[in-house]
Amino acid sequence: MEWTEKQIIELAAEKAAKVTLETLKQQKKKEREERRDWRLRNTRLLLENLQRFKDHAHQSVFDVRRVLESSQNDPQGVYSQQLSNRQEIYLEGLAISAGRTETLVEQTESMLDLYRLQCEKGGVEKQRRYRVLKAYSLDGKDYQEIMEEEDISKSTVFRDIKAAIEELSIMLFGIDIFYDLDGQSEN
């Protein structure tokens, strides 16, 4: 059978379209996985640094308030005159950073409390999962200590931490993570 030029062009166009669609599908999948990985990584970092964030928010808010109070208690305006525009912008930046950090800490602690309550209502495995997450991420215990306290293997510690972070990520990032999870079922 001989192909006409038109048939060859149509076949080539069809193949090119299929390759393009498959490439786009793979790119979407990769982007979804990267977003999911980003959320899981951020959840892990939030938990590991929660105490530092708390300290930062508390100290920064206190220091910014003290500076602002000092400028208000300066009847002759000497202190206020010394603040340049750059310093005012810097102080405003500190206040914004402290406020964001404080909000982040409050949200994370709130979701941790909610997660704890959900785990307490769950089975033995869910309860252990929360204890393992708390011991590792919040209490700073190492795998060996957790293994001994819970009488579980190292792989169970890893599995529990991974599962807990995935569950907590859903709570922290809300509906956005469902789009990523839903997209995984397509493939």
Side-chain angles (χ1 to χ4, degrees):
M1 170 178 155
E2 263 188 57
W3 293 76
T4 66
E5 186 177 337
K6 183 178 177 184
Q7 289 174 321
I8 293 171
I9 291 171
E10 287 175 359
L11 182 62
E14 186 180 318
K15 293 286 184 186
K18 284 181 181 178
V19 168
T20 301
L21 288 174
E22 185 59 34
T23 301
L24 289 173
K25 185 178 176 182
Q26 291 300 321
Q27 285 176 341
K28 270 184 137 175
K29 180 180 179 185
K30 183 179 178 185
E31 289 171 6
R32 243 188 336 269
E33 289 170 356
E34 287 173 356
R35 276 195 315 272
R36 182 176 178 274
D37 290 347
W38 171 82
R39 289 180 179 110
L40 294 175
R41 189 193 78 186
N42 281 354
T43 300
R44 183 180 294 272
L45 287 172
L46 269 171
L47 294 173
E48 290 173 357
N49 293 292
L50 191 59
Q51 187 58 50
R52 287 186 189 129
F53 290 149
K54 279 177 162 176
D55 294 344
H56 167 75
H58 176 72
Q59 291 301 108
S60 295
V61 169
F62 174 75
D63 288 344
V64 169
R65 286 185 185 146
R66 190 173 61 186
V67 169
L68 293 175
E69 286 170 5
S70 296
S71 67
Q72 289 174 351
N73 295 331
D74 184 14
Q76 296 177 5
V78 175
Y79 182 79
S80 299
Q81 291 171 358
Q82 292 175 352
L83 284 177
S84 69
N85 283 341
R86 180 188 287 171
Q87 289 170 321
E88 288 173 7
I89 291 169
Y90 176 73
L91 289 175
E92 186 177 308
L94 285 177
I96 290 169
S97 174
R100 286 180 178 164
T101 304
E102 189 171 28
T103 301
L104 180 69
V105 166
E106 288 174 4
Q107 175 69 8
T108 304
E109 287 181 328
S110 175
M111 292 301 105
L112 272 169
D113 284 342
L114 182 59
Y115 182 65
R116 178 186 50 80
L117 291 172
Q118 287 179 355
C119 288
E120 286 174 356
K121 292 177 184 176
V124 175
E125 186 176 329
K126 283 279 265 186
Q127 293 169 9
R128 183 196 66 227
R129 188 177 296 155
Y130 175 77
R131 289 192 309 270
V132 168
L133 176 71
K134 182 181 179 303
Y136 178 73
S137 296
L138 303 176
D139 300 339
K141 295 182 180 179
D142 63 26
Y143 297 116
Q144 190 64 42
E145 289 177 286
I146 298 168
M147 288 166 46
E148 291 170 6
E149 285 177 7
E150 294 291 334
D151 193 28
I152 55 176
S153 69
K154 191 172 188 175
S155 63
T156 303
V157 172
F158 286 130
R159 263 194 322 273
D160 281 352
I161 291 170
K162 183 179 183 222
I165 286 175
E166 286 178 0
E167 292 167 353
L168 191 57
S169 289
I170 291 170
M171 298 171 85
L172 286 168
F173 292 101
I175 192 70
D176 289 345
I177 203 162
F178 284 110
Y179 294 122
D180 296 338
L181 293 175
D182 183 47
Q184 290 175 346
S185 62
E186 295 173 5
N187 302 313

